[in-house]
Amino acid sequence: MLFKIDFEVDNGASYQKDIALVNAESSDAAKEKLRRFINRIDSETCVYKIYSINLFNGDIFTGRHGTN
């Protein structure tokens, strides 16, 4: 399943909102997979907050222009 996750990253100096598509078996697995991915960036960067997680059933995804 493909999940669309709206989240915010803390990099130690600022907070940045982002959106990700994550392929996982469940929403919990998708959240954990995203956290592991972001945490690998460096020792200060982490997922600060997850705002929403939904199944993605669209054909097109853009971070700034929505989905279809």
Side-chain angles (χ1 to χ4, degrees):
M1 293 183 277
L2 198 56
F3 292 91
K4 178 184 167 213
I5 304 176
D6 293 310
F7 66 103
E8 191 166 5
V9 171
D10 177 359
N11 66 13
S14 64
Y15 296 94
Q16 301 168 343
K17 284 191 164 188
D18 202 354
I19 299 171
L21 291 179
V22 180
N23 187 15
E25 294 297 318
S26 68
S27 62
D28 288 337
K31 289 180 209 176
E32 183 57 32
K33 201 173 192 181
L34 177 64
R35 284 188 174 103
R36 284 195 316 264
F37 177 78
I38 296 297
N39 289 347
R40 288 190 317 206
I41 294 171
D42 61 44
S43 62
E44 293 183 2
T45 302
C46 65
V47 173
Y48 173 71
K49 185 172 185 175
I50 293 178
Y51 293 103
S52 66
I53 182 166
N54 299 296
L55 277 173
F56 179 74
N57 294 316
D59 295 325
I60 299 171
F61 171 83
T62 67
R64 294 184 182 251
H65 302 287
T67 63
N68 182 20

